[in-house]
Amino acid sequence: MSAPNLLQIVPTLAGGGLARATLDAAQAVIAQGGSAVVASPGGGMVADLLRARATHLELPAVQAPLWTRLTLPRKLA
């Protein structure tokens, strides 16, 4: 079986439960030999994410949710 790969898209990494869960999931996948990519507008926990050897993709802050959902796949590609 191949190593797991994880892509997480979150609204912020500024702290709190969602940011912590994102970091924990990335660390778990990396510990199993996989790779983790997190796409977000950033925040205070980006440094922790990078220390865990995950990749961070900087996304613009969500201002028009529908437009963002329609254009996000192209940006991530």
Side-chain angles (χ1 to χ4, degrees):
M1 184 145 83
S2 62
N5 296 301
L6 176 67
L7 169 62
Q8 299 177 88
I9 304 168
V10 295
T12 184
L13 288 173
L18 179 61
R20 182 79 244 168
T22 300
L23 179 60
D24 290 346
Q27 289 173 327
V29 167
I30 291 167
Q32 294 298 315
S35 63
V37 177
V38 176
S40 81
M45 295 187 79
V46 171
D48 297 328
L49 189 69
L50 297 175
R51 270 194 294 279
R53 296 182 325 260
T55 301
H56 181 255
L57 299 176
E58 188 80 22
L59 293 178
V62 175
Q63 295 177 355
L66 178 58
W67 181 249
T68 300
R69 283 187 223 136
L70 293 173
T71 60
L72 187 57
R74 179 181 49 80
K75 290 177 183 176
L76 291 174

